[in-house]
């Protein structure tokens, strides 16, 4: 093989490695494409995501005995969902949830304090909603 062909092959190989490396970095960087709602109601956290590749959380001040409604669905990728009070054992945890997994239930708050709902997603699609239900009786 002559010298010009060797140089051309080396240049093409280097360009291909750069393209593959950039694609990997872009694919795995923290991203969110969707809707996030929490500002109008301080005790509601809602995410609807077409692509989520990051962590997100929201903190609510809740009183003992109040009820949280927890609802989520994963349509692609994977995600972990945790609801916890600082330095306490989580009151809810769902790890490595994948396509087709979902939840819809109510949870009683065990004691007064700040509770943080966290979702850690990897290439995920789906939605999550946590809100304090008000009982009027």
């Amino acid at each position: 093989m002559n010298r010009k062909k060797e140089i051309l092959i080396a240049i093409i190989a280097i360009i291909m490695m750069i393209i593959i490396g950039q694609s990997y970095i872009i694919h795995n960087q923290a991203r969110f494409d969707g809707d996030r709602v929490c500002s109008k109601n301080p005790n509601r956290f809602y995410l609807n995501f077409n692509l989520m590749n990051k962590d997100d959380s929201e903190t609510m001040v809740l009183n003992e005995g109040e009820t949280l409604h927890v609802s989520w669905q994963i349509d692609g990728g994977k995600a972990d969902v945790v609801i916890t009070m600082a330095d306490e054992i989580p009151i809810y945890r769902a790890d490595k949830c994948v396509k087709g997994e979902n939840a819809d239930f109510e949870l009683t708050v065990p004691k007064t304090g700040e509770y943080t709902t966290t979702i850690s997603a990897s290439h995920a699609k789906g939605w999550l909603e946590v809100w304090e239900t008000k009982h009027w009786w």
Side-chain angles (χ1 to χ4, degrees), residues 92-116:
Y92 177 74
R93 172 175 225 110
D95 293 326
K96 297 182 175 101
C97 305
V98 294
K99 183 177 182 176
E101 291 189 56
N102 58 62
D104 187 22
F105 61 92
E106 290 191 342
L107 184 65
T108 302
V109 175
K111 65 182 184 180
T112 300
E114 291 186 347
Y115 287 83
T116 301

Tab-separated table of all heavy atoms in Angstrom, residues 92-116:
chain	number	residue	atom	x	y	z
A	92	TYR	N	-41.243	5.317	50.481
A	92	TYR	CA	-41.564	4.607	49.240
A	92	TYR	C	-40.309	4.514	48.391
A	92	TYR	O	-39.539	5.466	48.309
A	92	TYR	CB	-42.675	5.318	48.450
A	92	TYR	CG	-42.956	4.647	47.136
A	92	TYR	CD1	-43.644	3.435	47.089
A	92	TYR	CD2	-42.511	5.191	45.942
A	92	TYR	CE1	-43.882	2.793	45.887
A	92	TYR	CE2	-42.750	4.557	44.742
A	92	TYR	CZ	-43.430	3.367	44.710
A	92	TYR	OH	-43.656	2.718	43.529
A	93	ARG	N	-40.124	3.375	47.756
A	93	ARG	CA	-38.968	3.185	46.876
A	93	ARG	C	-39.338	2.181	45.790
A	93	ARG	O	-39.873	1.112	46.069
A	93	ARG	CB	-37.769	2.677	47.668
A	93	ARG	CG	-36.616	2.286	46.798
A	93	ARG	CD	-35.372	1.887	47.596
A	93	ARG	NE	-34.264	2.540	46.939
A	93	ARG	CZ	-33.558	3.540	47.407
A	93	ARG	NH1	-33.786	3.994	48.605
A	93	ARG	NH2	-32.589	4.082	46.702
A	94	ALA	N	-39.054	2.534	44.537
A	94	ALA	CA	-39.211	1.630	43.399
A	94	ALA	C	-37.921	1.742	42.580
A	94	ALA	O	-37.631	2.802	42.028
A	94	ALA	CB	-40.417	2.010	42.563
A	95	ASP	N	-37.143	0.683	42.541
A	95	ASP	CA	-35.852	0.695	41.860
A	95	ASP	C	-35.909	-0.018	40.513
A	95	ASP	O	-36.609	-1.014	40.356
A	95	ASP	CB	-34.784	0.006	42.719
A	95	ASP	CG	-34.475	0.778	43.985
A	95	ASP	OD1	-34.512	2.020	43.955
A	95	ASP	OD2	-34.206	0.138	45.015
A	96	LYS	N	-35.143	0.512	39.573
A	96	LYS	CA	-34.960	-0.099	38.254
A	96	LYS	C	-36.276	-0.415	37.555
A	96	LYS	O	-36.469	-1.504	37.024
A	96	LYS	CB	-34.085	-1.336	38.372
A	96	LYS	CG	-32.686	-0.999	38.863
A	96	LYS	CD	-31.804	-2.227	38.946
A	96	LYS	CE	-30.404	-1.823	39.308
A	96	LYS	NZ	-30.016	-2.005	40.650
A	97	CYS	N	-37.170	0.558	37.543
A	97	CYS	CA	-38.456	0.399	36.864
A	97	CYS	C	-38.219	0.543	35.363
A	97	CYS	O	-37.507	1.442	34.922
A	97	CYS	CB	-39.434	1.470	37.330
A	97	CYS	SG	-39.633	1.477	39.113
A	98	VAL	N	-38.817	-0.336	34.583
A	98	VAL	CA	-38.607	-0.348	33.136
A	98	VAL	C	-39.942	-0.271	32.399
A	98	VAL	O	-41.007	-0.250	33.010
A	98	VAL	CB	-37.824	-1.607	32.699
A	98	VAL	CG1	-36.413	-1.583	33.264
A	98	VAL	CG2	-38.537	-2.882	33.117
A	99	LYS	N	-39.866	-0.277	31.083
A	99	LYS	CA	-41.036	-0.164	30.218
A	99	LYS	C	-42.157	-1.106	30.671
A	99	LYS	O	-41.928	-2.281	30.908
A	99	LYS	CB	-40.650	-0.491	28.781
A	99	LYS	CG	-41.783	-0.337	27.804
A	99	LYS	CD	-41.330	-0.612	26.399
A	99	LYS	CE	-42.496	-0.409	25.435
A	99	LYS	NZ	-42.071	-0.586	24.058
A	100	GLY	N	-43.333	-0.516	30.817
A	100	GLY	CA	-44.509	-1.287	31.208
A	100	GLY	C	-44.790	-1.270	32.697
A	100	GLY	O	-45.877	-1.649	33.127
A	101	GLU	N	-43.846	-0.819	33.521
A	101	GLU	CA	-44.089	-0.771	34.964
A	101	GLU	C	-44.804	0.527	35.328
A	101	GLU	O	-44.564	1.570	34.731
A	101	GLU	CB	-42.774	-0.882	35.737
A	101	GLU	CG	-42.151	-2.259	35.614
A	101	GLU	CD	-40.976	-2.447	36.545
A	101	GLU	OE1	-41.152	-2.257	37.771
A	101	GLU	OE2	-39.895	-2.769	36.041
A	102	ASN	N	-45.683	0.431	36.339
A	102	ASN	CA	-46.423	1.610	36.777
A	102	ASN	C	-46.891	1.428	38.218
A	102	ASN	O	-46.776	0.343	38.782
A	102	ASN	CB	-47.619	1.870	35.856
A	102	ASN	CG	-48.565	0.700	35.806
A	102	ASN	OD1	-49.141	0.327	36.826
A	102	ASN	ND2	-48.731	0.103	34.639
A	103	ALA	N	-47.402	2.511	38.777
A	103	ALA	CA	-47.938	2.487	40.141
A	103	ALA	C	-49.049	3.517	40.238
A	103	ALA	O	-49.044	4.527	39.533
A	103	ALA	CB	-46.845	2.805	41.152
A	104	ASP	N	-50.002	3.268	41.135
A	104	ASP	CA	-51.085	4.207	41.410
A	104	ASP	C	-51.648	3.842	42.784
A	104	ASP	O	-52.369	2.857	42.912
A	104	ASP	CB	-52.163	4.118	40.334
A	104	ASP	CG	-53.218	5.203	40.490
A	104	ASP	OD1	-52.936	6.240	41.127
A	104	ASP	OD2	-54.331	5.005	39.969
A	105	PHE	N	-51.285	4.613	43.817
A	105	PHE	CA	-51.692	4.275	45.178
A	105	PHE	C	-51.629	5.503	46.067
A	105	PHE	O	-51.110	6.544	45.666
A	105	PHE	CB	-50.799	3.167	45.756
A	105	PHE	CG	-49.350	3.551	45.857
A	105	PHE	CD1	-48.849	4.107	47.026
A	105	PHE	CD2	-48.488	3.380	44.781
A	105	PHE	CE1	-47.518	4.476	47.120
A	105	PHE	CE2	-47.154	3.740	44.871
A	105	PHE	CZ	-46.666	4.290	46.047
A	106	GLU	N	-52.148	5.364	47.275
A	106	GLU	CA	-52.060	6.428	48.276
A	106	GLU	C	-51.158	5.976	49.407
A	106	GLU	O	-51.080	4.786	49.723
A	106	GLU	CB	-53.447	6.796	48.788
A	106	GLU	CG	-54.252	7.504	47.726
A	106	GLU	CD	-55.523	8.133	48.241
A	106	GLU	OE1	-55.990	7.766	49.337
A	106	GLU	OE2	-56.054	9.007	47.530
A	107	LEU	N	-50.480	6.944	50.008
A	107	LEU	CA	-49.478	6.695	51.028
A	107	LEU	C	-49.728	7.659	52.181
A	107	LEU	O	-49.844	8.866	51.968
A	107	LEU	CB	-48.106	6.950	50.393
A	107	LEU	CG	-46.843	6.693	51.145
A	107	LEU	CD1	-46.705	5.203	51.441
A	107	LEU	CD2	-45.653	7.140	50.290
A	108	THR	N	-49.816	7.152	53.409
A	108	THR	CA	-50.026	8.002	54.579
A	108	THR	C	-48.681	8.503	55.096
A	108	THR	O	-47.746	7.726	55.269
A	108	THR	CB	-50.762	7.224	55.686
A	108	THR	OG1	-52.001	6.759	55.157
A	108	THR	CG2	-51.020	8.102	56.894
A	109	VAL	N	-48.594	9.805	55.348
A	109	VAL	CA	-47.364	10.425	55.834
A	109	VAL	C	-47.166	10.028	57.303
A	109	VAL	O	-48.029	10.297	58.139
A	109	VAL	CB	-47.437	11.960	55.682
A	109	VAL	CG1	-46.213	12.628	56.283
A	109	VAL	CG2	-47.609	12.333	54.214
A	110	PRO	N	-46.017	9.386	57.637
A	110	PRO	CA	-45.830	8.887	58.994
A	110	PRO	C	-45.533	9.954	60.042
A	110	PRO	O	-45.873	9.790	61.212
A	110	PRO	CB	-44.656	7.923	58.864
A	110	PRO	CG	-43.929	8.342	57.646
A	110	PRO	CD	-44.949	8.970	56.736
A	111	LYS	N	-44.875	11.060	59.643
A	111	LYS	CA	-44.618	12.132	60.600
A	111	LYS	C	-44.401	13.445	59.870
A	111	LYS	O	-44.059	13.463	58.690
A	111	LYS	CB	-43.445	11.796	61.514
A	111	LYS	CG	-42.101	11.672	60.869
A	111	LYS	CD	-41.063	11.287	61.940
A	111	LYS	CE	-39.680	11.233	61.379
A	111	LYS	NZ	-38.688	10.865	62.374
A	112	THR	N	-44.615	14.539	60.578
A	112	THR	CA	-44.505	15.876	59.994
A	112	THR	C	-43.066	16.177	59.597
A	112	THR	O	-42.131	15.875	60.337
A	112	THR	CB	-45.006	16.935	61.003
A	112	THR	OG1	-46.372	16.643	61.304
A	112	THR	CG2	-44.881	18.339	60.460
A	113	GLY	N	-42.913	16.770	58.411
A	113	GLY	CA	-41.583	17.161	57.951
A	113	GLY	C	-41.545	17.427	56.460
A	113	GLY	O	-42.575	17.467	55.792
A	114	GLU	N	-40.333	17.618	55.959
A	114	GLU	CA	-40.122	17.843	54.531
A	114	GLU	C	-39.821	16.512	53.859
A	114	GLU	O	-38.867	15.826	54.230
A	114	GLU	CB	-38.968	18.813	54.303
A	114	GLU	CG	-39.272	20.227	54.729
A	114	GLU	CD	-38.157	21.192	54.362
A	114	GLU	OE1	-37.044	20.753	53.991
A	114	GLU	OE2	-38.397	22.410	54.449
A	115	TYR	N	-40.620	16.184	52.850
A	115	TYR	CA	-40.460	14.935	52.106
A	115	TYR	C	-40.028	15.263	50.684
A	115	TYR	O	-40.616	16.138	50.039
A	115	TYR	CB	-41.767	14.139	52.097
A	115	TYR	CG	-42.061	13.528	53.439
A	115	TYR	CD1	-42.671	14.274	54.445
A	115	TYR	CD2	-41.710	12.220	53.712
A	115	TYR	CE1	-42.931	13.727	55.691
A	115	TYR	CE2	-41.962	11.656	54.961
A	115	TYR	CZ	-42.572	12.415	55.936
A	115	TYR	OH	-42.815	11.866	57.158
A	116	THR	N	-39.022	14.558	50.221
A	116	THR	CA	-38.504	14.777	48.878
A	116	THR	C	-38.821	13.577	48.001
A	116	THR	O	-38.511	12.444	48.361
A	116	THR	CB	-36.983	15.020	48.913
A	116	THR	OG1	-36.715	16.154	49.734
A	116	THR	CG2	-36.438	15.277	47.511
